[in-house]
Amino acid sequence: MKLYQDEGYNQLAGCLPLLVQLPIIMCIYNVVRSPLRYLCGLGKETIDAILAKATEINPSVGKDQIAALNTMREKFSEFTSIEGVAALEGNLPSFTVFGLDLSQIPKFGLDILIIIPIITFITVLTLFALMMISVPLNAQKNS
């Protein structure tokens, strides 16, 4: 409280925007990680059947709905026996943006997807540096 009274700096000013953003980010993450439920509108039983069939075809799928969706896209005819799946033909969600398939995991080496974490790192570092530059300027203006 003394810091706020003496310098006019509110300690919670940095946390308040995060308290608003965090629930929204968590909801978006949940939607992206569960495309069969939220984007395709399928029920739990149908999703479990799709995951079981996708794991049978590709054992590395497990409980990953995005990997199951990619397996469905590749071998859709094997999933048509599952109730509710036939209606999805041609309407499966795509995770391709600017020609990059964002459902793939970047690998070290010569992979174009490795550029996404690099750009993210550079952006965060730049924003942090800009924020650190502006903080001393605001402190000098107040004194």
Side-chain angles (χ1 to χ4, degrees), residues 74-111:
E74 293 168 4
K75 300 180 179 183
F76 190 80
S77 60
E78 296 188 29
F79 291 89
T80 54
S81 61
I82 300 172
E83 183 180 340
V85 172
L88 295 175
E89 189 170 11
N91 295 325
L92 291 175
S94 174
F95 295 101
T96 304
V97 177
F98 300 122
L100 296 173
D101 186 6
L102 299 180
S103 67
Q104 301 299 318
I105 298 172
K107 297 170 184 65
F108 289 104
L110 297 175
D111 188 8

Short mmCIF file of all heavy atoms in Angstrom, two decimals, residues 74-111:
data_model
loop_
_atom_site.label_atom_id
_atom_site.label_comp_id
_atom_site.label_asym_id
_atom_site.label_seq_id
_atom_site.Cartn_x
_atom_site.Cartn_y
_atom_site.Cartn_z
N GLU A 74 -8.05 -39.26 -43.35
CA GLU A 74 -7.30 -40.15 -44.25
C GLU A 74 -8.09 -41.39 -44.64
O GLU A 74 -8.04 -41.83 -45.78
CB GLU A 74 -5.99 -40.58 -43.59
CG GLU A 74 -5.01 -39.45 -43.39
CD GLU A 74 -3.85 -39.84 -42.49
OE1 GLU A 74 -3.78 -41.01 -42.07
OE2 GLU A 74 -3.02 -38.95 -42.21
N LYS A 75 -8.84 -41.98 -43.69
CA LYS A 75 -9.54 -43.25 -43.93
C LYS A 75 -11.00 -43.14 -43.48
O LYS A 75 -11.46 -43.88 -42.63
CB LYS A 75 -8.84 -44.38 -43.18
CG LYS A 75 -7.41 -44.56 -43.61
CD LYS A 75 -6.73 -45.67 -42.88
CE LYS A 75 -5.30 -45.79 -43.39
NZ LYS A 75 -4.59 -46.90 -42.79
N PHE A 76 -11.72 -42.20 -44.08
CA PHE A 76 -13.08 -41.91 -43.63
C PHE A 76 -14.02 -43.10 -43.81
O PHE A 76 -14.92 -43.32 -43.00
CB PHE A 76 -13.64 -40.69 -44.38
CG PHE A 76 -14.93 -40.19 -43.81
CD1 PHE A 76 -14.93 -39.40 -42.67
CD2 PHE A 76 -16.15 -40.53 -44.39
CE1 PHE A 76 -16.12 -38.96 -42.13
CE2 PHE A 76 -17.33 -40.10 -43.84
CZ PHE A 76 -17.31 -39.29 -42.71
N SER A 77 -13.82 -43.89 -44.85
CA SER A 77 -14.73 -45.01 -45.13
C SER A 77 -14.76 -46.03 -43.99
O SER A 77 -15.77 -46.71 -43.79
CB SER A 77 -14.34 -45.69 -46.44
OG SER A 77 -13.02 -46.20 -46.34
N GLU A 78 -13.68 -46.13 -43.22
CA GLU A 78 -13.66 -47.09 -42.12
C GLU A 78 -14.44 -46.59 -40.89
O GLU A 78 -14.71 -47.37 -39.98
CB GLU A 78 -12.21 -47.39 -41.73
CG GLU A 78 -11.44 -48.06 -42.85
CD GLU A 78 -10.07 -48.53 -42.42
OE1 GLU A 78 -9.90 -48.84 -41.23
OE2 GLU A 78 -9.17 -48.58 -43.28
N PHE A 79 -14.81 -45.32 -40.87
CA PHE A 79 -15.53 -44.75 -39.74
C PHE A 79 -17.03 -44.60 -39.99
O PHE A 79 -17.77 -44.25 -39.08
CB PHE A 79 -14.95 -43.38 -39.38
CG PHE A 79 -13.57 -43.43 -38.80
CD1 PHE A 79 -12.45 -43.38 -39.62
CD2 PHE A 79 -13.38 -43.53 -37.44
CE1 PHE A 79 -11.18 -43.43 -39.10
CE2 PHE A 79 -12.10 -43.57 -36.90
CZ PHE A 79 -11.01 -43.52 -37.74
N THR A 80 -17.48 -44.87 -41.21
CA THR A 80 -18.89 -44.63 -41.54
C THR A 80 -19.84 -45.57 -40.82
O THR A 80 -21.03 -45.26 -40.72
CB THR A 80 -19.11 -44.74 -43.07
OG1 THR A 80 -18.61 -45.99 -43.52
CG2 THR A 80 -18.42 -43.59 -43.79
N SER A 81 -19.36 -46.68 -40.29
CA SER A 81 -20.23 -47.60 -39.55
C SER A 81 -20.60 -47.05 -38.18
O SER A 81 -21.58 -47.49 -37.57
CB SER A 81 -19.55 -48.97 -39.40
OG SER A 81 -18.34 -48.83 -38.66
N ILE A 82 -19.89 -46.05 -37.70
CA ILE A 82 -20.17 -45.44 -36.39
C ILE A 82 -21.33 -44.47 -36.56
O ILE A 82 -21.35 -43.65 -37.49
CB ILE A 82 -18.93 -44.71 -35.84
CG1 ILE A 82 -17.78 -45.70 -35.68
CG2 ILE A 82 -19.24 -44.02 -34.52
CD1 ILE A 82 -16.46 -45.05 -35.33
N GLU A 83 -22.29 -44.55 -35.65
CA GLU A 83 -23.50 -43.73 -35.73
C GLU A 83 -23.15 -42.24 -35.63
O GLU A 83 -22.42 -41.81 -34.75
CB GLU A 83 -24.44 -44.10 -34.58
CG GLU A 83 -25.76 -43.35 -34.63
CD GLU A 83 -26.68 -43.73 -33.49
OE1 GLU A 83 -26.50 -44.80 -32.90
OE2 GLU A 83 -27.58 -42.94 -33.19
N GLY A 84 -23.66 -41.44 -36.57
CA GLY A 84 -23.46 -40.00 -36.57
C GLY A 84 -22.26 -39.53 -37.36
O GLY A 84 -22.10 -38.33 -37.57
N VAL A 85 -21.42 -40.44 -37.81
CA VAL A 85 -20.20 -40.05 -38.51
C VAL A 85 -20.46 -39.81 -40.00
O VAL A 85 -19.84 -38.94 -40.60
CB VAL A 85 -19.08 -41.09 -38.30
CG1 VAL A 85 -17.88 -40.81 -39.16
CG2 VAL A 85 -18.68 -41.13 -36.84
N ALA A 86 -21.38 -40.54 -40.58
CA ALA A 86 -21.65 -40.42 -42.01
C ALA A 86 -22.05 -38.99 -42.39
O ALA A 86 -21.74 -38.52 -43.48
CB ALA A 86 -22.73 -41.41 -42.44
N ALA A 87 -22.71 -38.29 -41.47
CA ALA A 87 -23.13 -36.91 -41.75
C ALA A 87 -21.96 -35.94 -41.81
O ALA A 87 -22.09 -34.83 -42.33
CB ALA A 87 -24.12 -36.45 -40.68
N LEU A 88 -20.81 -36.34 -41.31
CA LEU A 88 -19.64 -35.47 -41.29
C LEU A 88 -18.83 -35.50 -42.57
O LEU A 88 -17.88 -34.74 -42.72
CB LEU A 88 -18.71 -35.85 -40.12
CG LEU A 88 -19.25 -35.65 -38.72
CD1 LEU A 88 -18.25 -36.18 -37.72
CD2 LEU A 88 -19.55 -34.20 -38.47
N GLU A 89 -19.20 -36.39 -43.49
CA GLU A 89 -18.41 -36.53 -44.72
C GLU A 89 -18.32 -35.20 -45.45
O GLU A 89 -19.31 -34.57 -45.77
CB GLU A 89 -19.02 -37.58 -45.64
CG GLU A 89 -18.14 -37.91 -46.80
CD GLU A 89 -18.64 -39.11 -47.59
OE1 GLU A 89 -19.78 -39.55 -47.35
OE2 GLU A 89 -17.89 -39.60 -48.43
N GLY A 90 -17.09 -34.75 -45.66
CA GLY A 90 -16.85 -33.48 -46.33
C GLY A 90 -16.94 -32.28 -45.40
O GLY A 90 -16.67 -31.15 -45.81
N ASN A 91 -17.34 -32.48 -44.15
CA ASN A 91 -17.50 -31.36 -43.20
C ASN A 91 -16.56 -31.47 -42.00
O ASN A 91 -16.83 -30.85 -40.97
CB ASN A 91 -18.95 -31.30 -42.69
CG ASN A 91 -19.92 -30.96 -43.80
OD1 ASN A 91 -19.60 -30.20 -44.69
ND2 ASN A 91 -21.09 -31.54 -43.74
N LEU A 92 -15.50 -32.24 -42.12
CA LEU A 92 -14.56 -32.34 -41.01
C LEU A 92 -13.78 -31.03 -40.88
O LEU A 92 -13.38 -30.44 -41.87
CB LEU A 92 -13.59 -33.50 -41.24
CG LEU A 92 -14.19 -34.90 -41.17
CD1 LEU A 92 -13.14 -35.93 -41.54
CD2 LEU A 92 -14.73 -35.17 -39.79
N PRO A 93 -13.57 -30.57 -39.65
CA PRO A 93 -12.83 -29.31 -39.48
C PRO A 93 -11.38 -29.44 -39.95
O PRO A 93 -10.77 -30.50 -39.82
CB PRO A 93 -12.89 -29.04 -37.97
CG PRO A 93 -13.37 -30.29 -37.34
CD PRO A 93 -14.00 -31.13 -38.38
N SER A 94 -10.88 -28.36 -40.51
CA SER A 94 -9.51 -28.33 -41.00
C SER A 94 -8.69 -27.41 -40.10
O SER A 94 -9.16 -26.35 -39.69
CB SER A 94 -9.48 -27.80 -42.43
OG SER A 94 -8.16 -27.65 -42.87
N PHE A 95 -7.47 -27.81 -39.81
CA PHE A 95 -6.58 -27.01 -38.99
C PHE A 95 -5.48 -26.39 -39.83
O PHE A 95 -4.40 -26.11 -39.34
CB PHE A 95 -5.98 -27.87 -37.87
CG PHE A 95 -7.01 -28.35 -36.89
CD1 PHE A 95 -7.50 -29.64 -36.95
CD2 PHE A 95 -7.51 -27.51 -35.93
CE1 PHE A 95 -8.44 -30.08 -36.06
CE2 PHE A 95 -8.46 -27.93 -35.03
CZ PHE A 95 -8.93 -29.22 -35.09
N THR A 96 -5.78 -26.15 -41.10
CA THR A 96 -4.81 -25.58 -42.02
C THR A 96 -4.99 -24.07 -42.08
O THR A 96 -6.08 -23.58 -42.35
CB THR A 96 -4.96 -26.18 -43.42
OG1 THR A 96 -4.85 -27.60 -43.31
CG2 THR A 96 -3.91 -25.66 -44.36
N VAL A 97 -3.90 -23.34 -41.80
CA VAL A 97 -3.91 -21.88 -41.86
C VAL A 97 -2.70 -21.46 -42.69
O VAL A 97 -1.57 -21.86 -42.39
CB VAL A 97 -3.82 -21.26 -40.44
CG1 VAL A 97 -3.76 -19.74 -40.52
CG2 VAL A 97 -4.98 -21.71 -39.59
N PHE A 98 -2.94 -20.68 -43.72
CA PHE A 98 -1.88 -20.22 -44.62
C PHE A 98 -1.05 -21.38 -45.16
O PHE A 98 0.16 -21.29 -45.29
CB PHE A 98 -0.96 -19.20 -43.93
CG PHE A 98 -1.66 -17.97 -43.47
CD1 PHE A 98 -1.63 -17.61 -42.14
CD2 PHE A 98 -2.37 -17.17 -44.35
CE1 PHE A 98 -2.27 -16.48 -41.69
CE2 PHE A 98 -3.02 -16.03 -43.93
CZ PHE A 98 -2.97 -15.69 -42.59
N GLY A 99 -1.71 -22.50 -45.42
CA GLY A 99 -1.04 -23.65 -45.97
C GLY A 99 -0.29 -24.52 -44.97
O GLY A 99 0.31 -25.51 -45.33
N LEU A 100 -0.31 -24.14 -43.68
CA LEU A 100 0.36 -24.93 -42.64
C LEU A 100 -0.69 -25.71 -41.86
O LEU A 100 -1.68 -25.16 -41.40
CB LEU A 100 1.11 -24.01 -41.67
CG LEU A 100 2.26 -23.21 -42.23
CD1 LEU A 100 2.78 -22.24 -41.18
CD2 LEU A 100 3.36 -24.12 -42.70
N ASP A 101 -0.46 -26.99 -41.70
CA ASP A 101 -1.36 -27.83 -40.92
C ASP A 101 -0.97 -27.71 -39.45
O ASP A 101 0.01 -28.28 -38.99
CB ASP A 101 -1.28 -29.29 -41.38
CG ASP A 101 -2.30 -30.16 -40.68
OD1 ASP A 101 -3.15 -29.63 -39.93
OD2 ASP A 101 -2.26 -31.39 -40.89
N LEU A 102 -1.76 -26.94 -38.68
CA LEU A 102 -1.43 -26.66 -37.29
C LEU A 102 -1.72 -27.83 -36.36
O LEU A 102 -1.41 -27.77 -35.17
CB LEU A 102 -2.18 -25.42 -36.82
CG LEU A 102 -1.86 -24.14 -37.58
CD1 LEU A 102 -2.67 -22.97 -37.03
CD2 LEU A 102 -0.38 -23.83 -37.55
N SER A 103 -2.32 -28.90 -36.88
CA SER A 103 -2.56 -30.07 -36.04
C SER A 103 -1.31 -30.95 -35.93
O SER A 103 -1.27 -31.86 -35.13
CB SER A 103 -3.72 -30.89 -36.60
OG SER A 103 -3.39 -31.46 -37.84
N GLN A 104 -0.31 -30.66 -36.72
CA GLN A 104 0.94 -31.43 -36.69
C GLN A 104 1.86 -30.89 -35.60
O GLN A 104 1.83 -29.71 -35.28
CB GLN A 104 1.66 -31.36 -38.04
CG GLN A 104 0.83 -31.87 -39.19
CD GLN A 104 0.45 -33.32 -39.03
OE1 GLN A 104 1.27 -34.13 -38.63
NE2 GLN A 104 -0.78 -33.65 -39.33
N ILE A 105 2.68 -31.75 -35.03
CA ILE A 105 3.64 -31.35 -34.02
C ILE A 105 4.95 -31.01 -34.71
O ILE A 105 5.47 -31.83 -35.48
CB ILE A 105 3.85 -32.48 -32.99
CG1 ILE A 105 2.54 -32.76 -32.27
CG2 ILE A 105 4.94 -32.11 -32.00
CD1 ILE A 105 2.58 -33.97 -31.37
N PRO A 106 5.50 -29.81 -34.47
CA PRO A 106 6.76 -29.46 -35.13
C PRO A 106 7.90 -30.37 -34.68
O PRO A 106 7.98 -30.74 -33.52
CB PRO A 106 7.03 -28.02 -34.70
CG PRO A 106 5.87 -27.57 -33.92
CD PRO A 106 4.99 -28.73 -33.65
N LYS A 107 8.75 -30.71 -35.62
CA LYS A 107 9.92 -31.53 -35.33
C LYS A 107 11.16 -30.67 -35.53
O LYS A 107 11.17 -29.78 -36.36
CB LYS A 107 9.97 -32.74 -36.26
CG LYS A 107 8.78 -33.66 -36.10
CD LYS A 107 8.76 -34.69 -37.21
CE LYS A 107 7.55 -35.56 -37.15
NZ LYS A 107 6.30 -34.88 -37.37
N PHE A 108 12.19 -30.92 -34.73
CA PHE A 108 13.43 -30.20 -34.92
C PHE A 108 14.07 -30.66 -36.22
O PHE A 108 13.99 -31.81 -36.59
CB PHE A 108 14.37 -30.41 -33.74
CG PHE A 108 13.91 -29.72 -32.51
CD1 PHE A 108 13.33 -30.43 -31.47
CD2 PHE A 108 14.04 -28.35 -32.39
CE1 PHE A 108 12.88 -29.79 -30.35
CE2 PHE A 108 13.59 -27.69 -31.26
CZ PHE A 108 13.02 -28.41 -30.23
N GLY A 109 14.68 -29.76 -36.90
CA GLY A 109 15.27 -30.06 -38.18
C GLY A 109 14.62 -29.22 -39.26
O GLY A 109 14.21 -28.09 -39.02
N LEU A 110 14.49 -29.78 -40.43
CA LEU A 110 13.93 -29.05 -41.55
C LEU A 110 12.41 -29.22 -41.60
O LEU A 110 11.88 -29.97 -42.41
CB LEU A 110 14.57 -29.52 -42.86
CG LEU A 110 16.07 -29.27 -42.97
CD1 LEU A 110 16.61 -29.90 -44.24
CD2 LEU A 110 16.37 -27.79 -42.94
N ASP A 111 11.73 -28.52 -40.73
CA ASP A 111 10.27 -28.56 -40.69
C ASP A 111 9.77 -27.12 -40.63
O ASP A 111 10.19 -26.34 -39.78
CB ASP A 111 9.80 -29.35 -39.46
CG ASP A 111 8.30 -29.59 -39.47
OD1 ASP A 111 7.65 -29.28 -40.49
OD2 ASP A 111 7.78 -30.11 -38.47
#
